[in-house]
Amino acid sequence: MEIIKNVKGTHDIFAEENDAYDYVESLMKSISELYAFNGVRPPVLEYNSVFVRGVGESSDIVRKEMYTFPDKGGRDLTLRPEFTAGIMRLVVQNKLYATSELPIKLYYCGPVFRYERPQLGRYRQFNQFGVESIGNNAPMNDVEVIVLAYTILSSLGLEGVTLKINTLGDESSRDNYRNALKKYFSSHIGNMCEDCKSRFELNPLRILDCKVPEDRPIIDHAPKIGDYISIESKQRFDTILEALEVLQIPYEIDEGLVRGLDYYSETVFEFHYKSKKGADYGAIGAGGHYGKLMQELGGPELPGVGFSFGIERIVSVLKDDELLEDIKKKVDVYIMPLGEEANLYAQEIAVILRNGGGYKTDICFDKTKLGNMFKRATNKNAKFAVIVGEEEINTDSVIIKDLAKQEQITVSIDELVNKLDELMDEGDEE
Ligand code: AMP
């Protein structure tokens, strides 16, 4: 029978790659906890309106990329194409702003879905990790979020990450800029791509994101946002840039950076990194400040700032740069039962090691020669082998073999955990 393959744009994650995802995600979580962010898990399924109202009708995501379908009860549902709008829905619905100190600091991790053309670094189901800091408008919240993102990337070993940053200004700055763009593009739009034509109607700011090469020269000559920023927004942006300088976070101002989601205002930023192999997977993370998102979802007027990393892209650059070599998972103990009757005894020993000692333990249940068992122990990067046969069963003991030193001793079951603790300590000191 023909085998069934995975859906286009999705990918299976297993073996060493799964270890890499675990490593990256747990590092991101633990550093975010140091910055006093707490985990949150919104559902994958939301009503369509969360994203139409949240992300915005003029965004590519809502216009073209959402997995939206009616469920059997006729509800219009969407598989989340991003986290921020769903988190804002969660905060509003559960009135977190009334019970928590502001800002509410949340992190999240999980799959998102976008119907895009699959290519290098671009999937239809991919994973994001990100944070949101909600409810306090001080520019230092933007700084804290950027510093957190930068620290995570440095802790993963990525050196020379480019932080591109820009300001979209406040509402009046953006209105003025939008009008200026409308005026400029009105004489060019007839010669631009179909996508730009509808962007022109919905939100001319989106035209700046166009990737069609023939449109680029027109876009490159468009008015720049810097000329339309209000004095307050300019001051806010300067405060943020000054703080980044003091905190030694290198940045590049990119006036073309507008981000594809409608909810952004004031600060927007992206992280770029070219792997040592030269592969460019696109932005590895991005984010910004948002003013009106919570109101769009029926909540109070509370601003926020956040970022989102693409885990697939980060794992790809780490792999290319050989920064995942040290994360190979190791088994502490590999138990080798000699003969059928030693299998149950091996289970008892495993309970002692796992529950009593906290040792990551695996057992070989295959009827195979001792030599093969040692090969498997090596493949699992085991530190110790515990060998049990008839003799050991009869004397309530086990043989512990240090696989690095190739030395072995016999110990009673009662002494097993203590002895192993000692041997592990010795190994760590050397
Ligand atoms: P965005 O929500 O569009 O700002 O995306 C945040 C991050 O998610 C980006 O910087 C990418 O690292 C990642 N990302 C976005 N789209 C995709 C995709 N189709 N496949 C893989 N990663 C993606």
Side-chain angles (χ1 to χ4, degrees):
M1 217 189 295
E2 201 188 330
I3 60 160
I4 302 171
K5 294 198 178 144
N6 64 313
V7 173
K8 185 175 176 187
T10 69
H11 65 129
D12 296 318
I13 302 168
F14 55 90
E16 279 171 19
E17 190 156 40
N18 191 62
D19 296 347
Y21 277 72
D22 280 351
Y23 160 72
V24 168
E25 289 170 2
S26 64
L27 183 137
M28 290 177 170
K29 284 180 193 170
S30 61
I31 299 182
S32 301
E33 303 236 348
L34 284 182
Y35 282 66
F37 283 78
N38 296 308
V40 63
R41 295 171 201 254
V44 171
L45 273 180
E46 295 278 1
Y47 287 112
N48 196 21
S49 48
V50 168
F51 304 107
V52 175
R53 271 155 63 182
V55 179
E57 267 169 300
S58 80
S59 65
D60 280 1
I61 290 182
V62 170
R63 285 197 306 124
K64 298 187 289 195
E65 297 171 0
M66 294 213 298
Y67 279 90
T68 297
F69 55 92
D71 76 356
K72 288 192 168 51
R75 300 169 190 89
D76 273 334
L77 303 182
T78 294
L79 296 177
R80 66 174 171 230
E82 60 107 54
F83 271 91
T84 307
I87 289 183
M88 229 35 70
R89 198 264 316 135
L90 178 156
V91 169
V92 171
Q93 185 178 338
N94 296 285
K95 295 199 172 58
L96 294 195
Y97 50 83
T99 51
S100 314
E101 286 295 317
L102 299 179
I104 307 160
K105 293 166 68 169
L106 305 171
Y107 70 78
Y108 60 79
C109 186
V112 296
F113 304 81
R114 291 184 194 172
Y115 196 77
E116 293 189 87
R117 197 166 63 77
Q119 51 187 294
L120 185 73
R122 198 170 289 288
Y123 298 89
R124 289 182 172 173
Q125 177 177 341
F126 59 99
N127 292 278
Q128 287 190 332
F129 175 94
V131 309
E132 309 293 346
S133 174
I134 305 155
N136 185 307
N137 206 31
M140 282 304 148
N141 292 295
D142 300 20
V143 174
E144 184 177 53
V145 158
I146 294 172
V147 173
L148 167 57
Y150 195 83
T151 305
I152 287 175
L153 296 174
S154 309
S155 303
L156 286 167
L158 298 177
E159 283 165 19
V161 169
T162 308
L163 162 62
K164 293 188 180 182
I165 191 165
N166 192 22
T167 179
L168 302 177
D170 51 22
E171 222 171 321
S172 68
S173 320
R174 280 198 314 287
D175 284 347
N176 292 340
Y177 185 47
R178 215 175 273 127
N179 288 338
L181 286 180
K182 195 118 200 170
K183 202 164 152 209
Y184 169 78
F185 283 119
S186 59
S187 54
H188 297 283
I189 197 70
N191 302 321
M192 298 182 79
C193 73
E194 287 309 309
D195 241 359
C196 281
K197 288 193 177 98
S198 45
R199 287 169 174 145
F200 180 76
E201 295 305 327
L202 285 164
N203 181 359
L205 242 107
R206 290 278 80 80
I207 297 179
L208 304 184
D209 279 340
C210 176
K211 303 277 181 306
V212 175
E214 292 75 23
D215 289 351
R216 283 317 308 179
I218 302 174
I219 295 167
D220 290 343
H221 288 96
K224 299 282 177 279
I225 186 135
D227 297 330
Y228 297 85
I229 296 297
S230 68
I231 294 171
E232 295 77 25
S233 289
K234 171 96 178 58
Q235 276 169 350
R236 181 187 168 90
F237 193 45
D238 287 344
T239 306
I240 291 168
L241 298 182
E242 254 169 54
L244 293 177
E245 273 157 40
V246 172
L247 296 165
Q248 299 185 348
I249 311 283
Y251 63 83
E252 274 175 22
I253 295 174
D254 179 350
E255 283 207 279
L257 185 65
V258 288
R259 311 277 307 116
L261 298 88
D262 284 0
Y263 51 64
Y264 286 117
S265 62
E266 310 282 1
T267 326
V268 286
F269 55 89
E270 278 184 1
F271 291 97
H272 289 258
Y273 183 79
K274 245 201 191 117
S275 77
K276 301 226 160 61
K277 281 190 178 164
D280 188 353
Y281 300 94
I284 53 175
H289 173 277
Y290 40 89
K292 291 272 180 322
L293 176 55
M294 195 178 275
Q295 266 175 308
E296 293 289 340
L297 295 166
E301 192 180 337
L302 288 178
V305 56
F307 68 76
S308 189
F309 284 135
I311 313 263
E312 272 70 5
R313 295 186 187 179
I314 290 185
V315 168
S316 297
V317 294
L318 292 175
K319 224 193 276 174
D320 284 4
D321 285 7
E322 296 173 7
L323 289 168
L324 293 170
E325 299 302 304
D326 293 338
I327 64 146
K328 290 203 177 98
K329 288 194 176 161
K330 293 188 169 74
V331 170
D332 295 316
V333 183
Y334 193 56
I335 306 181
M336 305 173 173
L338 304 178
E340 199 75 29
E341 56 293 353
N343 279 344
L344 182 56
Y345 188 62
Q347 287 282 16
E348 289 179 70
I349 301 295
V351 170
I352 295 172
L353 289 168
R354 289 168 178 155
N355 301 4
Y359 286 114
K360 185 168 170 182
T361 303
D362 210 355
I363 312 174
C364 180
F365 284 128
D366 275 352
K367 274 193 228 155
T368 181
K369 289 189 196 128
L370 194 59
N372 282 336
M373 293 197 195
F374 277 113
K375 270 190 211 142
R376 290 191 194 181
T378 309
N379 288 341
K380 285 175 183 279
N381 289 311
K383 293 182 199 136
F384 292 94
V386 162
I387 305 159
V388 289
E390 208 180 324
E391 172 80 27
E392 287 71 35
I393 299 174
N394 292 335
T395 54
D396 285 337
S397 64
V398 303
I399 298 168
I400 304 176
K401 181 160 186 176
D402 183 324
L403 293 170
K405 291 186 187 159
Q406 289 291 310
E407 291 168 5
Q408 67 179 52
I409 49 164
T410 299
V411 294
S412 73
I413 297 185
D414 296 339
E415 292 172 310
L416 172 59
V417 167
N418 282 343
K419 191 67 204 170
L420 213 49
D421 288 348
E422 261 174 46
L423 293 171
M424 284 278 180
D425 284 348
E426 279 172 25
D428 288 345
E429 278 161 22
E430 275 163 16

